Amino acid sequence: MGIDGLLTFVRSASSEVHISKFAGQRVAIDASSWLHRGAFSCARELALGQETDRYLRFPLRMIAMLRSHCVEPVLVFDGAKLPMKVRTDRLRSAARSAALQRAHREQRDKDFTDSITVTPAMADRLLRKLRESDTAFVVAPYEADAQMVFLVEHGHCAAAITEDSDLLAFRCPRTIYKLSPETGYCRLHSFDDLCHATDSSGSLLFDDWQSWKTGLFTDMCILSGCDYLPSIPGVGLKTAHAALSTHRSMQRAISALHDKFIWSKAQSADPAGRAELLQLTSEHLELCTMCQQIFKYATVWDPVSAALVPLHQLGTSLDIRDRDRLGPLMAPSDAKLLCEDGVLDPTSLQLYPTVEQSTASMPKREDVRSRFFDAVCPRVNTAACEPSSISIVQQNVVRRETAESALPLNEGAVAPCETDTFLYSAGVRSPMHFKAFHVPLSDEAKTAAFESAHLFAIDSPPCLGDAFLQRFRGI
DNA sequence: CCCTAGGGATACTA
DNA sequence: ACTCGTCCCTAGGG
């Protein structure tokens, strides 16, 4: 989805080029989008759970095409889901499963293709092919978009190839859209060229480009509705652009839009109702600020320092809950296995099943065991379980009662936060069944663990966008 | 009049 | 026991 209509909105500032323009350079590739397109060739098989790997053909052909023009690809894979994106993800997966049900009933081709979903297992298959052919890749800890922007900004890649307009919201210096598999022609968006963007009448869209470049452009994307936050119903790109053009700040633009789209609808509101509207406005501003942070400081993998870092340098230290929204950090050893080696499933942080079986490519057991696990549970009896099966896991449902219950000797750790939504957990996976052990952690211990870049696991927080929209509709 | 939101066609393969 | 669409056209609202 990305930003609805953004690419056509700024089309005047883009240019048609041939991919050979980047000959002799590396480009970052959005691997998921290629896997998605490849999956159309075998939609029915995938939907019915039949064994196939035809979805690999398209990405492999695209890689060959790039190399034929002396362009070296770096494939970037998606990582775990950001908590603020759960609203979008739920909508998508609901639509897919509905299509799948229709497909089973009616056997229509369209329903099969609509039900297509790219799974981590498919990404794993592609990763194996990439290792065989010596093709570079990175697995993003979270959003592939942010990871690609990091690679371009730090000179590892000359440009990013994708279909997702979010890269512009992330302010990617050079983004390539609509790369043709046959001809190699594509559409290049250079971020700094946006200063020349015009509307249909020919007047400049972004007057005083410097202020748009440093923030207002991303603010416009957020206000018009992005994957992390829906817009005020009735507000799209043009309206967001107009509001920011005149008011020149997110805060003033929001209050102006609320005046126009919300307050005017509730003219008859009593004093209590007006207070609630005021509250709604300030809540919306807060949500938009969170989005600003994600677009600026999303967690990415730095291949040079081999560590998880924010996309841009953090100016100030963030509150721990704000920090978690950008993508929780994890144990350094796990981060390397996930992002550089590509042998972990991003959401479970477990080894891909088939990797576990082939001992040849299996990492050393010491690497798999998390240092966080040792730090939090020094008394754990590791001999009681297989060392290779110890790993940090993200625990979906851990109740406070469980966490505060008495704690036998060889048990792991979990610390509930004030909200019960952000949890710190370590677990042990035995070959037969999963067991998670819990101990309460003090606030100091949580902060200490965080600062030493150890693991955080998060449960799904409430859908922030939903709450906002529901209250809006209630007016 | 302009803008947003939603529906329909469409992708992939040799 | 499973991760992301997009373009074009039009109806309908402000």
Side-chain angles (χ1 to χ4, degrees):
Chain A
M1 224 158 98
I3 314 299
D4 201 37
L6 181 60
L7 291 186
T8 51
F9 188 63
V10 299
R11 189 187 153 85
S12 62
S14 67
S15 59
E16 190 82 6
V17 302
H18 194 267
I19 193 65
S20 58
K21 179 186 174 74
F22 295 96
Q25 297 181 289
R26 280 188 299 268
V27 293
I29 311 287
D30 183 1
S32 310
S33 79
W34 282 5
L35 275 172
H36 191 84
R37 290 173 69 176
F40 282 98
S41 65
C42 47
R44 184 175 291 261
E45 289 85 343
L46 288 174
L48 298 176
Q50 296 166 359
E51 168 60 26
T52 177
D53 62 352
R54 266 216 317 285
Y55 50 83
L56 295 178
R57 286 189 185 179
F58 181 76
L60 293 178
R61 274 186 30 170
M62 289 295 266
I63 290 171
M65 188 269 280
L66 289 182
R67 289 218 167 108
S68 76
H69 295 294
C70 299
V71 178
E72 189 56 29
V74 178
L75 274 83
V76 180
F77 291 80
D78 270 310
K81 283 183 280 197
L82 280 185
M84 280 194 73
K85 214 173 172 177
V86 296
R87 176 189 60 88
T88 310
D89 287 327
R90 276 185 203 162
L91 290 176
R92 286 170 181 160
S93 94
R96 278 198 306 272
S97 51
L100 187 59
Q101 296 220 340
R102 281 199 308 274
H104 280 302
R105 279 204 319 269
E106 323 228 352
Q107 299 285 314
R108 285 283 309 147
D109 275 355
K110 180 187 183 307
D111 292 325
F112 280 113
T113 54
D114 281 351
S115 75
I116 283 184
T117 168
V118 177
T119 65
M122 291 162 69
D124 180 39
R125 297 281 279 273
L126 181 53
L127 280 166
R128 286 157 199 276
K129 291 282 186 188
L130 297 181
R131 290 191 197 96
E132 286 173 15
S133 60
D134 229 13
T135 306
F137 64 83
V138 179
V139 178
Y142 298 95
E143 301 278 39
D145 304 339
Q147 183 66 53
M148 289 190 286
V149 174
F150 183 88
L151 293 176
V152 176
E153 281 191 338
H154 288 254
H156 298 110
C157 296
I161 300 182
T162 183
E163 298 303 329
D164 194 340
S165 50
D166 268 342
L167 265 85
L168 292 182
F170 273 106
R171 302 187 293 180
C172 183
R174 282 168 302 280
T175 316
I176 291 172
Y177 292 102
K178 304 182 208 338
L179 173 60
S180 161
E182 295 85 18
T183 67
Y185 279 97
C186 53
R187 197 147 260 287
L188 174 63
H189 287 252
S190 295
F191 192 75
D192 281 327
D193 286 349
L194 285 171
C195 66
H196 301 125
T198 57
D199 62 11
S200 51
S201 73
S203 49
L204 280 179
L205 281 174
F206 306 114
D207 204 21
D208 181 17
W209 169 241
Q210 199 57 31
S211 59
W212 289 98
K213 175 193 174 118
T214 52
L216 289 183
F217 183 83
T218 304
D219 292 348
M220 174 186 74
C221 297
I222 295 169
L223 279 180
S224 81
C226 61
D227 284 348
Y228 311 116
L229 182 67
S231 70
I232 299 169
V235 174
L237 257 184
K238 300 279 179 71
T239 314
H241 172 259
L244 285 167
S245 292
T246 56
H247 295 100
R248 293 278 151 182
S249 92
M250 177 76 104
Q251 181 173 0
R252 288 193 294 271
I254 284 181
S255 46
L257 289 173
H258 276 246
D259 279 350
K260 194 170 177 180
F261 286 82
I262 299 182
W263 288 75
S264 63
K265 283 188 175 180
Q267 208 59 282
S268 58
D270 52 295
R274 294 179 72 85
E276 193 172 337
L277 291 183
L278 208 57
Q279 173 75 10
L280 182 61
T281 304
S282 78
E283 277 176 18
H284 189 209
L285 175 61
E286 195 180 333
L287 293 173
C288 288
T289 309
M290 293 176 192
C291 291
Q292 286 178 325
Q293 290 181 350
I294 292 181
F295 281 115
K296 240 188 215 168
Y297 306 122
T299 302
V300 296
W301 169 255
D302 178 8
V304 173
S305 65
L308 296 181
V309 298
L311 175 56
H312 294 112
Q313 199 73 36
L314 271 169
T316 64
S317 64
L318 287 175
D319 177 72
I320 197 161
R321 288 188 50 189
D322 289 337
R323 181 60 192 76
D324 270 0
R325 263 192 288 272
L326 307 175
L329 302 179
M330 64 191 81
S333 54
D334 278 350
K336 182 184 176 300
L337 288 173
L338 171 68
C339 303
E340 190 174 296
D341 302 335
V343 295
L344 297 187
D345 179 309
T347 49
S348 68
L349 291 185
Q350 298 294 317
L351 289 171
Y352 283 112
T354 39
V355 176
E356 223 159 3
Q357 284 157 13
S358 75
T359 48
S361 58
M362 194 159 97
K364 287 197 165 68
R365 297 187 164 188
E366 290 73 24
D367 294 336
V368 180
R369 190 200 299 174
S370 160
R371 278 163 44 192
F372 177 77
F373 191 89
D374 291 338
V376 174
C377 336
R379 296 182 305 161
V380 69
N381 179 8
T382 49
C385 33
E386 278 294 308
S388 67
S389 63
I390 297 180
S391 175
I392 296 289
V393 296
Q394 289 191 345
Q395 185 75 353
N396 281 333
V397 183
V398 182
R399 304 214 174 278
R400 186 183 286 271
E401 316 74 276
T402 318
E404 288 173 350
S405 61
L407 132 97
L409 183 59
N410 58 347
E411 302 213 359
V414 137
C417 292
E418 323 78 64
T419 58
D420 263 359
T421 56
F422 298 96
L423 298 169
Y424 305 71
S425 81
V428 177
R429 184 188 281 278
S430 72
M432 291 307 292
H433 58 281
F434 174 80
K435 286 166 71 180
F437 307 111
H438 315 291
V439 291
L441 273 188
S442 66
D443 282 349
E444 297 77 42
K446 276 189 285 184
T447 312
F450 168 75
E451 282 171 352
S452 54
H454 286 312
L455 170 97
F456 294 74
I458 31 173
D459 189 13
S460 298
C463 299
L464 301 171
D466 278 348
F468 165 69
L469 268 191
Q470 273 177 18
R471 290 192 50 190
F472 175 83
R473 295 209 177 95
I475 294 171

